[in-house]
Every structure is written in C-alpha cells, then in structure tokens.
Amino acid sequence: MSDAVLLDISDGIATITLNQPKSRNSFSPEVREGMARIVPQVLSDDAVRSIILTGAGGVFCAGGDIRAMKERVGKFDVMDTRARMAELYEWVRLLIEAQKPLIAAVDGAAFGAGFSFALAADIVLATPRSRFCLSFMRIGLVPDC
C-alpha cells in the first residue's frame, strides 16, 4: 500500500491528503490508486460527516502526471486510455455526488485536473499563495475531470 494518499479520520472529519509533493501532487498512478481505494471507504463510513481534500508540501495538485504521459508517447492504446480515465472518473463522480460536505483546502497550485478536482468540492478554501489554472490547451490536451 502506497503513502501517495493519506487518510486521517478525526471527530467525524475525513482529511484526504495527496502526498507526493516531489511531483507537486500530480495524478500519478499511485495517487489515482489511492483515491480509488480511499474515496469509497470514506463515503461509506457513517462516522464521517464531512471530507477535506488537500495536498502536502504547499501544493494542492498540479494536475496530470506529465512525466508518466511522456513515457506513454508512442505507446498510445485507446482501450488502455479509456480504462484509466474510467477509473479516474469513477471516484471523481463519487466525490461530486457525495452526500457529505466536501471541502477543498487549496494551498499553492491547483492546475489542470487539480483545478477540476477543487471545483468538485462544495467549498474551496484557498490561501493567498493559491493559484488556479486550466492549462490543458497549452500542452495539447482536452480538459477532463
């Protein structure tokens, strides 16, 4: 089990922390796997009354893992891409439809899919250092999440 996503439940509040500050908490395979495991767990826990999403190391989420994308150049497989996106959308959909208040605690960058991730929340709390950017078109991608 990876520590790419941390979960702390205290006093009815589940805090989910993206914990890969070296990659600016991008949606690496480890983060996606951690979220796919943790989100259903938190939503099904009756003791959890609200959820906070945040990122470690002064960055909320830099969006997609560009390094991993570059490694797949020339190895594009439509069905593999569809499967990865379906897995991602499943837990994002669960968060959007959650019946529990969802708070995004943003510090630093919330770029690309990270920005979309923050927008999935009912409330966004942002520090003065927060920056929001939808940069998909700058690198030839289509907005997602």
Side-chain angles (χ1 to χ4, degrees):
M1 188 174 297
S2 171
D3 64 349
V5 181
L6 304 176
L7 173 62
D8 176 64
I9 299 175
S10 179
D11 296 325
I13 301 169
T15 301
I16 301 172
T17 304
L18 303 181
N19 188 41
Q20 288 195 316
K22 288 183 182 177
S23 68
R24 300 175 50 79
N25 299 322
S26 64
F27 282 135
S28 67
E30 296 82 14
V31 167
R32 289 196 332 253
E33 290 167 13
M35 291 298 287
R37 178 178 42 81
I38 287 172
V39 169
Q41 173 188 340
V42 165
L43 293 177
S44 66
D45 186 340
D46 292 335
V48 172
R49 296 184 315 274
S50 62
I51 305 164
I52 298 172
L53 304 172
T54 193
V59 177
F60 181 71
C61 177
D65 185 350
I66 303 301
R67 285 188 187 101
M69 289 179 201
K70 285 182 180 179
E71 290 174 9
R72 288 192 305 272
V73 169
K75 303 173 192 170
F76 184 76
D77 179 321
V78 172
M79 296 313 288
D80 177 58
T81 300
R82 291 181 107 187
R84 279 186 289 101
M85 295 308 288
E87 291 169 8
L88 172 66
Y89 292 150
E90 180 59 27
W91 60 260
V92 171
R93 182 188 58 78
L94 289 173
L95 285 175
I96 291 169
E97 296 175 355
Q99 297 300 305
K100 301 175 184 192
L102 179 61
I103 301 165
V106 179
D107 185 30
F111 282 19
F115 189 168
S116 299
F117 193 37
L119 290 176
D122 299 301
I123 298 169
V124 177
L125 299 174
T127 69
R129 297 181 329 142
S130 298
R131 296 181 333 227
F132 297 84
C133 180
L134 293 174
S135 54
F136 299 99
M137 285 63 72
R138 291 182 189 171
I139 58 173
L141 297 176
V142 176
D144 57 12
C145 294

